[in-house]
Amino acid sequence: MAMEVTQVLLNAQSIDGNVRKHAEDTLRQFQEQNLPGFLVSLSGELASEDKPVDSRKLAGLILKNALDAKDESRKQELVQRWLSLDPVAKAQVKSCLLQTLSSLALEARSTATQVIAKVAGIELPQKQWPELIGSLLSNIHQVPTHVKQATLETLGYLCEEVSPQVVDQEQVNKILTAVVQGMNASEGNNDVRLAATIALYNALGFAQANFTNDMERDYIMRVVCETTISPEVKIRQAAFECLVSIAAMYYEKLAPYIQDIYNITAKAVRGDEEPVALQAIEFWSTICDEETDILEEYIGDSNGDSEIPCFYFIKQALPALIPLLLETLLKQEEDQDLDEGAWNIAMAGGTCLGLVARTVGDDIVPLVMPFIEENITKPDWRQREAASYAFGSILEGPSPDKLAPLVNHALPFMLSALVKDPNNHVKDTTAWTLGRMFEFLHSSIVGTPIINEGNCQQIITVLLQSMTDVPNVAEKACGALYFLAQGYEDVGPTSPITPFFQDIVQSLLTVTRREDATESRLRTSAYETLNEVVRCSTDETAPLVLQLVSVIMMELHKCLEAQNLSSDEREKRSELIGLLCGCMQVIIQKLGSSEGTKYVFLQCSDQIMGLFFRVFAFRNATAHEEAMLAIGALAYAIGPDFAKYMPEFYKFLDMDLQNFEEYQVCAVTVGVVGDICRALEDKILPYCDGIMTQLLKNLSSDNLHRSVKPPLFSCIGDIALAIGDNFNKYLMYAMNTLQLAAEMYAHTSGFDDEMTEYINSLRNGILEAYSGIFQGFKNSSKSQLLIPYAPHILQFLDSIYMEKDMDEVVMKTAIGVLGDLADTLGSNAGSLIQQSLSSRDFLNECLTSEDHLIKESAEWAKLAITRAISV
C-alpha cells in the first residue's frame, strides 16, 4: 500500500470524477483498516523530497484533518484517537514532520508547520513531546533561511494551538528571544522576518511575565516599532497587527511608548499602503475600546475603582488624532456603498471617530464641527459625504444637551440633501446620519425634542420619498424611519406619527415588492421597519394593523404557491417566508395584547395556523425559526383554545426539537414549548410524554450545541408548572438529570469569563426547572414526593453562593428557589433551611441588594421561610 500511496493521492485530485472517487474510497479503506500504517505512510509521503508536491501537500492536509475538526465532539474523538495510537507509529509521524521543515518545497514545509502545531496542541497539555520546543529552537540557528522561516512559522502556529499555561516560562523566554531576533532589521531575509513577526503576534498571550519586566518590554516594543517601517508591506502590516494586539492585552504598559506609536501610526495612515494604514487606525480603535471598558467598569463599580487605571491616551491625543481621522474620511472608494463587505481607510477612520466620540464625549464636538461646517456644502461630493459621515459618527457619546442644538440646526439641511443632492454616496450617508440622529437623540428623554409638530410631517415625507431611491439609499431611509418610530414607543394614547401611519405602511409594503428589493438588504430592512412601526403604534391605529393581517397572509400564501423556481429564487423565497412570518409574529403580539382587537383577529387564526403548517414543509432553518416564534406568540394570544391545533402542530414541534444540525431552530422550538405550556396549562398533558422524552434525550446528548442546554432546563420547569402534580410520572427522571447537572455546574474555578457566563446561564436554567417543579406541586397532596430532593437543592444553592461568581439573573432565580422550597414544603423544609450552610447569609445579601428585582424576590422568600420555620 505504501508503494501506491503517491498515485492514490494524485488520483484523489484528478479532474475525472470516477478516478477521484475510487482514490478517496481507497484512502478511506486504508485509514479504517490500519490507522497507524495510514498515518505513517502519509507523513513519509510529506517528508519525501522525491515525491510530487501535489501528493505531499494532500498527504499533509489529510494528516491535519486526522487530528482536528471544527465540530467540538468530533475534535475530542480525534484527540483521543491520536493519544491512544501506537507510540512507535506516533514517533515515526512526528519525526517525519520535523524532517519536512527542512524541505525545499514551500508547500510541504508550510503544511508540516500546521500539522506539528496540531500534534503539539494534543500532546503538550498531556506532558508528551517535551523535546519539541527545544528541537524547534535548535533549528533557528541553522544556516538555510527556509528552515529558519518554517521553524518560526511552526512556533507561531504552536502558540495559537496551546494555552500559555502549558509552556513553562523558561521555554517562553527562549521562544520570544528567537522570534524577536528573527524580526530584527539585521535579519536579511524577508520571509524569515515575516514569519517571525506573525509568530510574535501569536505568542503575545505568552508574554505576560516579559511585559512586566521593563527591560524585556522595552526591547520587544523597540523591535515591533522598528518593524513597522520595514521596506516590505506584509511585514509592516504584521508589525502593526502586533501593536493592535499589544494595545488590547497590555494597555496598562503603553504609556512610555504612546507618543512614538502616535508618530508611527500617523505616518502610516497618511502615507502607507491601505492594509498597513487600516491596522494603524485599528490601533487607536482598540485603545478606544480599552478605555471605554475601563471607564464603564469604573462607573459600574460601587467602589469607583477598576482593576486597570485609565491613562486617557485618547483624550490627550485628541488635538492630533481628530485631524488625522478627519483626513481619512476623504479617501472614499467610488462604489463602497454597494459592496456589503467593503472596508477601506475612510470607513475605518469613521468607525474610529465614532469610538473616540464614545470614549471622550463632549470634548470631540468642537474639534469636528468646523470640518463639518467647512465641507458640507462643497462642490466635490467627497467633501460633502465626509462632512455628513463625520457628523453621523459623533452622535453617540457626547451629551444630548451638547448635540441637540447642532442637530436642530442641521436637520432641515440634511433633509434637503437627502432628496436633492445629485450624488448617491452623499444621499446614502445623509440617510445613515439621520438614522443616527433619531437613534440617539429622538426620544422622550431628551429635553429639546429634535422632532416636533412643526417638522414631523416634513421628515416623514422626505423619508418616504427617499425610500423610492436606489436600493442602498432606500435601505438607509428605512433604517432612519425605524428609529423615528422607535422613539415614539410608549408615548401614550396618541403618537405624532399616527396621522401618517397608513402612508408609512403602504410605502414600506411597496418597497418590499420592488424588483430590486433583494439588493442592499432593502427588503429585510423594509420589513424590520414595518415591524417596528407596528410594535410602537398606539390603539388609535389598531384597525389599520388589523387590515395588515390579511395583506401579510396574502403575501405569505402567494409565496408558498410559487412554482418552478431556480435555486437562487428558492433561496430568496425562503428568506421572504421568514420575513413574512416575523411580521406576522409582531402583528399577533400587538393585536393580542388588547382584548378588543384580539377577538377580531382570532377569527382568522385557523387560516394563519394553516399557513404556518405549510411553512414547515420547507427545509429552511430561518423560515422554521420565524414560523415557530409566530406560533408561540399566537398560542400566548389564544390561550387554552390553542389546544385544537396541537394534534397537527405536535409533529412539527417534535421534528424541530430533534433538529440538532440547525441548533437555532431547536433552541427556538424549546422556547415555544414554554409559550405553549403557559397558554395551555394542563391541556398540554397528552403531549408531555413525547416532549419530556425528547427534552431529556437532548440534555444527555453530546451532539447538541451547548447554547441550547440552558433553555432546555428552563423548559422542564415550564412543563411542571403547566401540569402541576401530574409531573409526578417524570419527577424521578427529571430530578436525576437536574442533580447531575447541578453537581457539574456548581463550580467555575479555573474557567475564563466566557465559560463562567455560560455556566451561569446553565445554573439559571437548572434553577428555573426547580422553581417550576416546586410551584407546580404547591398545595398538592403529592408535594411530599419532593422532600428527598430538598437537601441536594440546598447544597447546590450553598455551592453557588460560596463560589461568589453568580450574576444578578442567577441570584434572583436562586433566592426565588429558596422561597419556592419553603413555600411548597412548609415545615418539612424549615429545619433543612436552618441547617443549610449559607441560606441565611445568602438571604441577607439579597435583602440588601441594589437590584430591586433581587430584593423583591428575597422579601418574598423571607416571608415563605419565616412561615416554614414557625409551623
Side-chain angles (χ1 to χ4, degrees):
M1 184 67 209
M3 298 297 292
E4 293 167 29
V5 83
T6 306
Q7 195 52 52
V8 178
L9 287 164
L10 292 172
N11 289 350
Q13 302 171 71
S14 164
I15 47 174
D16 182 331
N18 292 328
V19 174
R20 197 168 61 243
K21 187 179 181 313
H22 184 259
E24 286 167 357
D25 292 344
T26 308
L27 288 169
R28 199 175 302 110
Q29 274 176 326
F30 185 10
Q31 182 170 358
E32 284 163 7
Q33 287 163 11
N34 178 5
L35 181 66
F38 178 67
L39 298 177
V40 168
S41 190
L42 290 174
S43 62
E45 184 77 18
L46 178 61
S48 285
E49 286 294 88
D50 54 351
K51 300 288 186 183
V53 166
D54 285 347
S55 68
R56 294 173 74 183
K57 202 167 141 190
L58 183 59
L61 189 64
I62 297 171
L63 264 176
K64 188 175 142 201
N65 292 340
L67 298 164
D68 193 21
K70 280 196 175 76
D71 178 66
E72 198 49 47
S73 53
R74 174 71 182 144
K75 182 177 178 164
Q76 287 314 314
E77 262 175 56
L78 295 175
V79 166
Q80 290 313 315
R81 188 176 81 169
W82 172 263
L83 289 171
S84 55
L85 204 66
D86 167 42
V88 178
K90 280 196 289 197
Q92 275 180 278
V93 171
K94 292 190 291 195
S95 165
C96 286
L97 290 170
L98 288 171
Q99 190 188 322
T100 312
L101 293 182
S102 311
S103 168
L104 293 168
L106 173 65
E107 285 102 328
R109 285 201 308 276
S110 182
T111 310
T113 61
Q114 295 173 51
V115 184
I116 291 169
K118 293 292 177 196
V119 176
I122 297 172
E123 294 205 352
L124 293 184
Q126 306 291 329
K127 303 272 185 276
Q128 297 178 16
W129 210 2
E131 69 282 8
L132 168 66
I133 292 174
S135 61
L136 287 173
L137 291 167
S138 67
N139 268 0
I140 297 277
H141 307 298
Q142 290 204 14
V143 181
T145 48
H146 69 272
V147 183
K148 208 170 182 178
Q149 179 267 337
T151 306
L152 285 163
E153 200 174 304
T154 309
L155 286 168
Y157 285 133
L158 185 145
C159 291
E160 211 175 1
E161 286 295 327
V162 302
S163 73
Q165 295 84 346
V166 170
V167 186
D168 67 52
Q169 189 56 45
E170 193 185 338
Q171 287 195 312
V172 168
N173 293 344
K174 287 178 180 170
I175 291 172
L176 287 170
T177 303
V179 165
V180 176
Q181 277 174 354
M183 288 170 68
N184 248 319
S186 58
E187 171 55 63
N189 184 289
N190 277 341
D191 292 340
V192 171
R193 279 193 86 184
L194 179 60
T197 311
I198 294 169
L200 178 68
Y201 175 82
N202 288 327
L204 282 167
F206 291 70
Q208 269 154 335
N210 312 82
F211 263 79
T212 52
N213 176 315
D214 292 358
M215 230 166 69
E216 292 180 24
R217 184 180 64 246
D218 285 348
Y219 178 54
I220 293 171
M221 292 302 292
R222 196 190 81 229
V223 173
V224 172
C225 290
E226 282 170 3
T227 312
T228 62
I229 53 172
S230 154
E232 179 57 45
V233 63
K234 280 187 175 166
I235 296 174
R236 295 199 299 278
Q237 182 185 345
F240 273 111
E241 282 171 7
C242 288
L243 277 181
V244 171
S245 190
I246 289 166
M249 286 185 200
Y250 303 111
Y251 165 85
E252 72 279 16
K253 304 289 183 196
L254 282 177
Y257 319 104
I258 203 77
Q259 184 59 54
D260 289 341
I261 294 175
Y262 174 77
N263 296 337
I264 294 166
T265 50
K267 196 172 170 205
V269 171
R270 288 194 169 110
D272 210 327
E273 293 185 40
E274 186 172 83
V276 182
L278 286 173
Q279 289 304 320
I281 296 170
E282 186 60 30
F283 173 83
W284 292 102
S285 293
T286 305
I287 295 287
C288 288
D289 288 338
E290 292 303 309
E291 297 200 341
T292 310
D293 287 351
I294 292 167
L295 295 169
E296 275 174 8
E297 199 176 309
Y298 180 79
I299 293 161
D301 190 345
S302 49
N303 312 325
D305 199 11
S306 89
E307 284 177 31
I308 297 172
C310 184
F311 289 99
Y312 299 100
F313 293 139
I314 297 294
K315 199 174 179 139
Q316 289 162 24
L318 276 182
L321 185 60
I322 296 302
L324 177 69
L325 292 173
L326 292 172
E327 280 173 40
T328 65
L329 302 188
L330 294 159
K331 298 180 180 176
Q332 309 95 322
E333 284 171 7
E334 287 288 346
D335 53 356
Q336 65 184 42
D337 299 326
L338 304 174
D339 174 8
E340 260 187 59
W343 187 246
N344 56 43
I345 292 181
M347 296 167 93
T351 303
C352 187
L353 194 64
L355 292 168
V356 172
R358 284 182 52 199
T359 311
V360 301
D362 289 1
D363 292 353
I364 197 172
V365 178
L367 293 169
V368 175
M369 284 318 291
F371 176 86
I372 297 169
E373 286 157 1
E374 188 191 331
N375 289 290
I376 199 88
T377 54
K378 283 280 168 64
D380 180 358
W381 74 265
R382 288 178 184 280
Q383 289 171 288
R384 298 198 304 281
E385 193 275 340
S388 187
Y389 190 18
F391 201 1
S393 298
I394 63 166
L395 291 171
E396 184 188 7
S399 63
D401 292 346
K402 185 84 172 171
L403 291 171
L406 301 171
V407 170
N408 278 322
H409 179 65
L411 196 57
F413 179 85
M414 302 295 279
L415 291 168
S416 163
L418 182 55
V419 183
K420 293 182 181 158
D421 199 287
N423 184 279
N424 274 339
H425 286 291
V426 178
K427 286 196 280 192
D428 181 295
T429 304
T430 304
W432 174 79
T433 299
L434 284 166
R436 303 258 301 173
M437 288 175 177
F438 302 154
E439 181 179 2
F440 298 113
L441 295 167
H442 148 57
S443 66
S444 43
I445 314 160
V446 181
T448 342
I450 59 167
I451 300 173
N452 48 49
E453 283 175 15
N455 64 11
C456 188
Q457 181 167 4
Q458 187 205 356
I459 291 171
I460 290 171
T461 307
V462 166
L463 291 178
L464 298 191
Q465 187 182 336
S466 186
M467 277 156 48
T468 62
D469 209 321
V470 292
N472 58 301
V473 176
E475 189 270 332
K476 301 284 194 311
C478 288
L481 188 57
Y482 176 100
F483 290 114
L484 178 74
Q486 195 178 69
Y488 287 124
E489 190 181 359
D490 307 325
V491 285
T494 181
S495 159
I497 57 175
T498 298
F500 315 105
F501 186 85
Q502 179 107 35
D503 290 344
I504 291 172
V505 169
Q506 205 41 62
S507 297
L508 286 165
L509 288 170
T510 306
V511 171
T512 65
R513 296 170 188 142
R514 275 173 60 157
E515 287 289 313
D516 55 5
T518 53
E519 291 172 34
S520 297
R521 275 189 82 256
L522 178 54
R523 180 180 282 149
T524 305
S525 191
Y527 274 114
E528 284 170 355
T529 304
L530 178 61
N531 294 349
E532 200 61 9
V533 168
V534 169
R535 199 179 65 78
C536 301
S537 62
T538 61
D539 291 346
E540 289 176 297
T541 48
L544 296 171
V545 177
L546 266 170
Q547 288 173 22
L548 199 52
V549 176
S550 57
V551 175
I552 300 297
M553 280 171 65
M554 197 60 224
E555 295 276 342
L556 187 52
H557 174 76
K558 210 162 66 189
C559 209
L560 294 165
E561 289 289 307
Q563 301 284 325
N564 307 323
L565 302 176
S566 66
S567 66
D568 185 40
E569 287 168 334
R570 278 202 299 276
E571 197 176 316
K572 284 175 180 165
R573 170 174 64 182
S574 296
E575 192 183 321
L576 180 54
I577 290 172
L579 292 169
L580 290 163
C581 290
C583 188
M584 279 307 289
Q585 182 200 348
V586 174
I587 294 170
I588 290 165
Q589 284 168 330
K590 189 72 196 174
L591 296 174
S593 61
S594 99
E595 285 306 315
T597 51
K598 181 155 89 173
Y599 175 74
V600 184
F601 113 93
L602 289 182
Q603 309 295 312
C604 53
S605 62
D606 288 1
Q607 292 149 285
I608 294 174
M609 279 302 285
L611 285 170
F612 290 152
F613 289 154
R614 288 178 62 191
V615 172
F616 289 119
F618 289 89
R619 295 298 310 140
N620 178 274
T622 311
H624 276 230
E625 271 179 67
E626 296 295 343
M628 268 295 167
L629 289 166
I631 289 173
L634 192 63
Y636 187 77
I638 295 175
D641 291 347
F642 186 82
K644 66 177 176 178
Y645 302 118
M646 280 305 289
E648 175 75 4
F649 177 51
Y650 175 70
K651 51 187 191 208
F652 301 117
L653 194 72
D654 190 48
M655 172 175 80
D656 280 350
L657 281 176
Q658 296 177 47
N659 190 349
F660 288 10
E661 276 298 292
E662 293 155 335
Y663 64 88
Q664 293 96 332
V665 175
C666 185
V668 163
T669 308
V670 170
V672 170
V673 171
D675 293 336
I676 290 167
C677 286
R678 284 182 281 281
L680 296 186
E681 294 181 337
D682 60 358
K683 284 189 178 178
I684 197 168
L685 200 54
Y687 306 95
C688 283
D689 283 3
I691 294 172
M692 277 302 293
T693 304
Q694 196 53 50
L695 293 182
L696 294 171
K697 203 184 271 182
N698 286 10
L699 278 169
S700 63
S701 165
D702 291 332
N703 298 326
L704 181 59
H705 193 273
R706 69 178 204 174
S707 63
V708 189
K709 300 273 168 114
L712 278 167
F713 286 121
S714 307
C715 192
I716 291 173
D718 293 331
I719 291 171
L721 197 55
I723 63 175
D725 61 10
N726 291 306
F727 192 79
N728 172 29
K729 66 188 290 194
Y730 314 116
L731 189 62
M732 188 175 81
Y733 306 105
M735 284 300 206
N736 281 347
T737 301
L738 290 167
Q739 191 165 334
L740 282 169
E743 282 165 11
M744 200 183 297
Y745 303 121
H747 306 289
T748 58
S749 49
F751 288 119
D752 60 15
D753 291 353
E754 190 193 344
M755 193 62 187
T756 302
E757 193 179 315
Y758 172 64
I759 288 175
N760 266 324
S761 67
L762 284 163
R763 290 168 170 177
N764 195 56
I766 293 165
L767 291 164
E768 284 183 341
Y770 283 141
S771 181
I773 291 168
F774 276 100
Q775 288 178 41
F777 276 82
K778 189 177 171 355
N779 301 330
S780 157
S781 57
K782 295 180 187 168
S783 64
Q784 305 295 316
L785 296 168
L786 299 177
I787 296 170
Y789 302 107
H792 178 270
I793 293 169
L794 287 166
Q795 192 186 332
F796 178 52
L797 291 173
D798 276 341
S799 300
I800 59 175
Y801 174 68
M802 303 286 198
E803 285 278 302
K804 298 289 179 211
D805 58 5
M806 267 188 283
D807 58 28
E808 283 83 356
V809 179
V810 177
M811 208 165 196
K812 179 187 169 296
T813 317
I815 200 65
V817 167
L818 192 63
D820 291 329
L821 198 121
D823 195 34
T824 300
L825 299 183
S827 58
N828 293 305
S831 58
L832 287 168
I833 291 172
Q834 280 176 304
Q835 291 159 27
S836 140
L837 292 173
S838 58
S839 290
R840 181 182 303 232
D841 293 346
F842 181 35
L843 183 63
N844 287 336
E845 196 172 306
C846 292
L847 285 167
T848 55
S849 169
E850 288 174 10
D851 184 316
H852 76 97
L853 291 173
I854 292 176
K855 199 170 179 177
E856 230 171 72
S857 285
E859 281 162 359
W860 173 80
K862 185 183 177 181
L863 277 175
I865 293 166
T866 309
R867 278 200 305 271
I869 290 171
S870 64
V871 172

